[in-house]
Amino acid sequence: MRDRVNDFALKLANVNGTGSASANGLLMQAIFRMGIPVSGKNLFPSNIQGLPTWYEIRVNKNGYTARSLDYDLMVAMNSQTYARDIQEVREGGYLLFDSSWPLDPELLRDDVHFLGVPFAQLCNDNFRDPRERILMKNIAYAGTLVAALQVDMEIVTALLEEKYAGKKKLSESNTRALRLGYDYARDHFGPLPFHLEKMDANSDKILIDGNTAIALGCVYAGATVAAWYPITPSTSAMDAFKVFCEKFRKDPETGQNNYIIIQAEDELAAIGMVIGAAWNGARAFTSTAGPGISLMNELLGFAYYAEIPAVIIDVERVGPSTGMPTRTQQGDVLECAYASHGDTKHILLFPSNPAECFEFAPVAFDLAERFQTPVFLMSDLDIGMNDWVVPRLRWNDGYQPDRGCVLSLEEIEKLSKFQRYMADSESQIAPRTLPGVHPKGSFFTRGSGHNKFGGYTEIPDEYQEVMDRLLRKHKAAAKFVPTPIIQRRPGSSFGIVTIGGCDPAVREALDLLAERGVVGDFMRIRGFPFDAAVESFLAEHDINFVIEQNRDAQLRSLLTLETNVPKDRLRSVLVYGGFPLSARHVIDGVLNVLAPESELAAAGQKVSK
């Protein structure tokens, strides 16, 4: 293997609950602070401890951050998964393992270099507490990697000092464990043929997860009410919102909170609280995942029909049913687009990374209040819970919330009578009032059949008139959702369409395909209802590959239902096993259609999904 600088991938195999997250995060942050493009994917089980967990780090000087399937280095710290882990090392790669116990000769591969370090023995000799020995073994392997990959030791030391400031004992034990692994590597095998060198690619970037970014965006958007029920993988979004509110939502004079966060008894109660708060004029939201959306369906239909704003953060995970709660997927697209019984259509936003999570949060509230309807901010576990390198978050201090058409006291007083669902012909939006402003305004609303005046009806024509306007209002929102990102290449012969966190893998795949002479255009959809540019892009290409992470091609189905593009122009590439998307998956999906099977076999491009 030739020497490579800032271009490799490693995978760390461990056992959940042993403290490996601290060691893995330490490495990820150190590489980031060295100015090198890096990404980290935490592949963890849904139990508290005992099952296998993996953490993948990809370093790429060109900025490709999608998940890699070719591992130059495997850190095998879980004997239960040795066989699987060793098989995933690329030809000529390296495997680091705990040589305190002998490795079964049947596991050895002639094309892999095995690096043994007696981590358990080193920690047993240097630490007395049994639990500490387990925890420090992870920091010791981090020390070995610092030496082998040439991570800047000063940066690692600074990170430990920051993390354990004021905790002298913890700082000393972590530093000692780090040095144990570092010194052993320097004495026994030295640097590897792939290593790190400082760059300046992260000078105006940050390391952040999507849930934290969404929470911060909700604060900046002016949200003051949140109701939720804990569910993986969205819980940390509400945890972060609470932390930010405690800092920024307190009255400086009285010290009283200017916010309320309610842990409801279930998701049904949570969305009811959000709708009630929004009906009274607050900017309110809930965070949840697919199972929570299922429970919220009836009240989501109520908010749609009664025209009440609500923001729902959906951090998608694998379904159906309980599914795999700690695996990522894009399986809620259709559920959210048409949530509830009867005829409903909702506004969806699709951020692709934490920076867009922050950016789209205020957009969600503005759209919810402008169009008086539920709005879904569609993240997923990969975006929400993994750390991403993104541009530093920027905020426009001139931002003014779009509260929509809310009548003031003076405006209500001028009316002879307030009629709730009398909308103008252009926007299809009916003015609303807030309870308590004036006796003429709305104090109650109904989820049953109503006419344009707000009165009860079961007359077909009056019911249909309201429903038809709601459809026109939804279509009108297409001009206000974030526009798609479109990139065209000279000589392209097909289009690729995707959403959300698939973005890095698809972009990388397009570059690699272009190097082979297979050139395609790119479109990432960022909102529903679809902007006119979406249909135009699809119509330009005889073949459009729709890349998504679910079994049933939900984005493709939505495109088929909501555009006039012929179905046979849309070809699905589906990866839904629960792990983040890789460029190789995309390349295989495209070439399976465009290239003869014989060429594929010769190129060795087939990959297990």
Side-chain angles (χ1 to χ4, degrees), residues 304-319:
Y304 171 84
Y305 191 37
E307 300 184 64
I308 303 172
V311 170
I312 303 95
I313 296 167
D314 179 17
V315 187
E316 298 172 89
R317 71 187 207 186
V318 172

Side-chain angles (χ1 to χ4, degrees), residues 45-46 232 290-291 317-329 576-578:
S46 57
T232 301
R317 71 187 207 186
V318 172
S321 186
T322 305
M324 295 188 291
T326 58
R327 297 286 187 257
T328 196
Q329 205 171 79
Y576 47 90

Side-chain angles (χ1 to χ4, degrees), residues 232-255:
T232 301
S234 71
T235 295
S236 60
M238 199 61 73
D239 291 341
F241 183 70
K242 177 177 180 290
V243 171
F244 291 134
C245 284
E246 288 172 346
K247 184 174 182 180
F248 300 114
R249 286 275 190 269
K250 282 186 178 289
D251 187 291
E253 296 181 0
T254 65

Side-chain angles (χ1 to χ4, degrees), residues 376-581:
F376 292 83
L377 187 50
M378 308 286 291
S379 180
D380 61 41
L381 184 144
D382 181 28
I383 298 173
M385 296 191 71
N386 284 323
D387 288 328
W388 293 57
V389 177
V390 297
R392 189 175 298 276
L393 305 182
R394 307 290 183 188
W395 181 252
N396 177 13
D397 288 331
Y399 167 76
Q400 293 293 325
D402 184 349
R403 304 308 303 267
C405 191
V406 182
L407 298 181
S408 65
L409 173 63
E410 294 75 15
E411 290 171 321
I412 299 173
E413 286 178 337
K414 293 177 183 178
L415 300 174
S416 58
K417 184 178 181 182
F418 175 67
Q419 295 171 322
R420 173 65 182 98
Y421 299 113
M422 290 289 287
D424 69 77
S425 58
E426 183 177 352
S427 70
Q428 306 299 320
I429 298 169
R432 66 184 176 118
T433 64
L434 300 181
V437 172
H438 193 282
K440 289 182 184 178
S442 293
F443 282 74
F444 304 98
T445 193
R446 64 173 74 249
S448 53
H450 54 262
N451 58 26
K452 63 184 178 181
F453 307 111
Y456 179 75
T457 187
E458 292 187 12
I459 298 174
D461 289 346
E462 292 185 346
Y463 165 78
Q464 289 182 200
E465 183 180 21
V466 172
M467 291 298 292
D468 290 345
R469 178 181 64 80
L470 289 176
L471 179 59
R472 294 193 298 271
K473 184 179 74 167
H474 181 264
K475 290 180 178 179
K479 295 181 179 179
F480 296 89
V481 301
T483 56
I485 301 294
I486 296 175
Q487 293 180 343
R488 293 181 173 86
R489 298 175 185 238
S492 66
S493 59
F494 61 91
I496 283 190
V497 184
T498 194
I499 55 173
C502 295
D503 179 83
V506 171
R507 288 177 184 270
E508 181 181 357
L510 278 167
D511 288 347
L512 295 174
L513 285 167
E515 291 176 2
R516 304 183 188 188
V518 183
V519 182
D521 292 332
F522 169 79
M523 177 171 67
R524 175 165 60 83
I525 295 170
R526 301 197 296 169
F528 172 76
F530 298 130
D531 182 270
V534 171
E535 187 160 347
S536 296
F537 180 93
L538 297 175
E540 290 173 13
H541 304 90
D542 292 333
I543 297 178
N544 294 279
F545 293 96
V546 184
I547 318 295
E548 53 186 312
Q549 291 184 277
N550 57 70
R551 185 196 69 180
D552 293 340
Q554 295 187 29
L555 176 60
R556 180 174 180 262
S557 297
L558 196 62
L559 290 167
T560 302
L561 289 167
E562 300 290 342
T563 72
N564 294 314
V565 175
K567 186 177 180 180
D568 60 5
R569 290 194 176 196
L570 305 177
R571 310 291 180 88
S572 289
V573 176
L574 307 173
V575 181
Y576 47 90
F579 287 165
L581 190 67

Side-chain angles (χ1 to χ4, degrees), residues 25-277:
L26 180 69
L27 290 166
M28 173 80 172
Q29 293 172 53
I31 297 170
F32 170 77
R33 290 198 183 184
M34 290 179 69
I36 304 167
V38 63
S39 63
K41 305 296 184 184
N42 190 15
L43 313 176
F44 61 103
S46 57
N47 72 330
I48 296 175
Q49 62 181 20
L51 289 182
T53 183
W54 293 271
Y55 190 78
E56 300 177 349
I57 296 177
R58 183 182 183 187
V59 175
N60 185 272
K61 60 188 175 185
N62 297 317
Y64 294 129
T65 57
R67 180 175 178 241
S68 176
L69 299 178
D70 298 312
Y71 305 109
D72 302 282
L73 173 63
M74 177 71 68
V75 181
M77 302 298 291
N78 181 5
S79 60
Q80 296 178 16
T81 60
Y82 271 174
R84 172 179 175 179
D85 297 334
I86 292 170
Q87 288 306 310
E88 290 191 356
V89 182
R90 70 188 306 168
E91 182 179 346
Y94 289 75
L95 184 129
L96 178 66
F97 70 101
D98 188 347
S99 61
S100 302
W101 301 274
L103 198 63
D104 187 340
E106 292 185 3
L107 296 173
L108 299 178
R109 281 175 52 187
D110 293 337
D111 59 348
V112 170
H113 304 279
F114 288 82
L115 306 175
V117 179
F119 293 114
Q121 188 61 53
L122 290 172
C123 291
N124 287 345
D125 292 342
N126 287 272
F127 299 98
R128 298 180 62 182
D129 181 75
R131 177 63 177 167
E132 188 177 35
R133 288 171 173 173
I134 294 174
L135 297 175
M136 290 305 106
K137 188 166 71 168
N138 297 314
I139 302 300
Y141 77 61
T144 299
L145 295 175
V146 169
L149 300 175
Q150 300 184 43
V151 183
D152 191 314
M153 188 57 146
E154 290 186 5
I155 290 176
V156 177
T157 302
L159 285 167
L160 286 176
E161 290 175 353
E162 291 173 15
K163 183 172 183 177
Y164 297 111
K167 300 176 182 178
K168 184 178 179 180
K169 186 177 179 181
L170 282 173
S171 178
E172 289 177 348
S173 59
N174 277 268
T175 301
R176 192 190 330 158
L178 186 78
R179 179 58 67 174
L180 287 172
Y182 183 88
D183 289 343
Y184 192 94
R186 291 291 296 269
D187 294 341
H188 290 81
F189 47 80
L192 299 178
F194 44 90
H195 64 276
L196 302 166
E197 290 182 6
K198 282 188 175 181
M199 293 178 61
D200 189 25
N202 298 332
S203 58
D204 198 36
K205 296 180 179 178
I206 61 172
L207 198 61
I208 191 172
D209 65 84
N211 284 353
T212 300
I214 278 182
L216 188 60
C218 290
V219 171
Y220 273 81
T224 56
V225 176
W228 69 304
Y229 185 78
I231 185 171
T232 301
S234 71
T235 295
S236 60
M238 199 61 73
D239 291 341
F241 183 70
K242 177 177 180 290
V243 171
F244 291 134
C245 284
E246 288 172 346
K247 184 174 182 180
F248 300 114
R249 286 275 190 269
K250 282 186 178 289
D251 187 291
E253 296 181 0
T254 65
Q256 291 184 333
N257 293 337
N258 291 327
Y259 68 93
I260 183 169
I261 300 173
I262 307 169
Q263 181 175 326
E265 58 267 36
D266 53 35
E267 288 89 349
L268 188 64
I271 191 62
M273 294 172 184
V274 168
I275 293 169

